[in-house]
Amino acid sequence: MAQAAKPKKEAPAASPPNGSASTTESLGASGPWSAYASRDKTGRVCYLVGQPQKSDSAGTPRKAPSAMVTHRPAENIANVVSFVEGYALKEGSEVALEIGDKKFELFTKDDGAWASTAELDRTIVGTLAHAKSAIVKGTPQKGRPTTDVYSLAGFAKALALIDKACGVKRKDTAAPAAKPASGKAPPRKRTKSPPANG
């Protein structure tokens, strides 16, 4: 069972590790989504990256936003969903993710947003794989909220590429995973970021 990734305050997941000697290989692209595999000191890392089809930045200066799903099998971590908003998010705010008629709230730090549990990660990834588009709304420290619209055409194919490369088995990507025996979600830790894909 993959466990959730715990937040690490000292290392934002959006930035690649400094001085990383890892090499990144392209697994292929499908629509706006690209899949990659690399290796760092902890082992193999597989991830997909996509950019929004359309953005309303509401006048907020920002770097290019992106969405990612990351697997780190050596650390028993899979399906970590993250969104990079490209600006400093308002402290304590949440990023709203809408996929069809489903809505999710993601916790934030610096310019990134993540799901709070591994179970929620799996649910979001399964929902993304079966939907046509996703809407992400973030609130900057100063200024009006932004809205990004991601086309999900090709997402399921890119996901299959990283699943295969990192040996992640998927019973039904649309079904939420069962809760741990304790009935409580496992503690959340934030994944380290994959290396920059160039």
Side-chain angles (χ1 to χ4, degrees), residues 33-180:
W33 301 93
S34 299
Y36 300 92
S38 66
R39 187 170 291 280
D40 65 13
K41 60 185 178 185
T42 62
R44 194 158 172 81
V45 183
C46 304
Y47 59 100
L48 61 80
V49 184
Q51 277 74 39
Q53 188 177 33
K54 166 169 90 162
S55 289
D56 176 3
S57 298
T60 300
R62 67 193 300 202
K63 294 177 184 172
S66 63
M68 297 178 68
V69 175
T70 307
H71 299 328
R72 288 180 169 272
E75 296 179 64
N76 202 27
I77 292 170
N79 302 305
V80 177
V81 177
S82 59
F83 290 91
V84 176
E85 289 296 275
Y87 56 78
L89 285 150
K90 186 175 180 180
E91 200 167 328
S93 70
E94 291 181 325
V95 160
L97 170 62
E98 293 176 27
I99 311 167
D101 59 353
K102 294 184 171 61
K103 296 185 179 184
F104 304 94
E105 289 183 341
L106 309 176
F107 78 88
T108 61
K109 176 162 173 50
D110 301 328
D111 68 345
W114 296 264
S116 55
T117 67
E119 183 181 353
L120 186 55
D121 268 332
R122 285 189 294 270
T123 301
I124 290 172
V125 169
T127 307
L128 290 168
H130 290 82
K132 291 183 177 176
S133 65
I135 300 169
V136 179
K137 295 180 180 177
T139 305
Q141 284 182 357
K142 293 178 182 176
R144 294 185 296 126
T146 64
T147 303
D148 300 313
V149 180
Y150 288 83
S151 165
L152 297 174
F155 178 88
K157 284 185 182 175
L159 181 64
L161 290 172
I162 66 168
D163 284 356
K164 183 178 178 184
C166 268
V168 172
K169 304 287 182 216
R170 203 171 291 282
K171 287 181 187 171
D172 177 1
T173 49
K179 286 187 180 176

